[in-house]
Amino acid sequence: MMSPPSYRIAVIPGDGTGPEVIREALKALKAAGTRENLLFDLQHYDLGGDRYLKTGEILPESVLAELRQVDAILLGAIGHPDVKPGILEKGLLLELRFRLDQYINLRPVVLYPGVETPLKDKGPAEINFVVVRENTEGLYTGGGGFLKKGTPQEVAIQESINTRFGVERCLRYAFDYCRKRNQRKKLTLCGKTNVLTYAFDLWERVFHEVAAEYPDVTTDYGHVDAVSMWMIKNPEWFDVIVTDNMFGDIITDIGAIIQGGLGIAAGGNINPAGVSMFEPIGGSAPKYTGQNVINPLAAIGAAAIMLDHLGQPAAAARIEDAVRKAVAGDIRSLASGKMGKSTTEVGDRVAGYIAAD
Ligand code: IPM
Ligand code: MN
């Protein structure tokens, strides 16, 4: 008999409500694994604010070396109320993205039937697109510095680094993804060519160059300010949007809110040739920590994106279908604290649907 496929998954619950949502995501993962005959070898890592406060360690090299060996990483949330903003975000989350060269941040914006959107007259038919965010360059590299810090003459420079190599691999991923996603095959470059005339000149040139290899993909361009407006006014215009790191960060929060909020928005930090990491987009939500009221659907959705990435689309679809069922019936609101159900109950319901159908 053939032995079932087995995956080594590193689990980083992280800070705040991270452990609570990851607990539910693992229920869904295991339920889908049971149905599809997949095995998961889960290794938990206690990275995050508590470990940092106790030991001063953020991401030890030995841990990074172990993470390089797994098939995927499932991450809860990073950010601790007692740690100065930036330390864990840069030292852990961005460090993982950079060091594992997860150069794509893939963020689907899909409104499920039954989920409330703040957009008037828009529904699941209109809100269904994906943002491909560059994930290792731009304003996020840490390039720049201070001059005369703390004086009246202080200068603060934060540089946007855009390499031909980094831009091209991101655009190629976006074209490939767009071609495979569905029959629409429309790729929108989101930039700011009218002001950022170096960075987005490069992006635009490479975009057109690569587009020549994808004659079946329709290309479009929008400045980031206009794209932000259209995502609200005409979200149906979009199929796949590709953009740089900073713009991608901003527009995916708009995306999250129009798909029902941070309670359901999930994404993947992808290295197509390496180790990828999947996470709910929302933060650690310290004010809800330990109350069992946080919405676990985003983390559950991250597990589904992970399964898809691991080459198990049937298992991914089982989780997605279960989430669709849960949001169509059982849950009053996707807002944490207003679900009318506890974190545990929502997770149990989703896992129950996966086991039952
Ligand atoms: C995100 C977050 C992170 C980012 C922060 C926490 C560093 O906002 O994943 O979108 O800016 O990328
Ligand atoms: Mn963000």
Side-chain angles (χ1 to χ4, degrees), residues 59-78:
L59 179 60
E61 286 299 320
S62 59
V63 173
L64 187 66
E66 286 179 38
L67 294 176
R68 288 187 191 283
Q69 305 304 317
V70 302
D71 294 308
I73 302 169
L74 188 61
L75 176 78
I78 300 299

Side-chain angles (χ1 to χ4, degrees), residues 78-79 88-90 93-94 97 105 107 133 135 140 245-246 248-250 252-253 269 279-283:
I78 300 299
L88 298 169
E89 290 85 346
K90 288 177 85 170
L93 182 59
L94 297 185
R97 289 176 182 171
N105 197 324
R107 296 188 159 180
R133 165 188 176 188
N135 211 29
Y140 276 68
N245 209 341
M246 186 79 257
D249 177 46
I250 298 166
T252 56
D253 264 29
N269 302 278
E279 56 174 340
I281 292 181

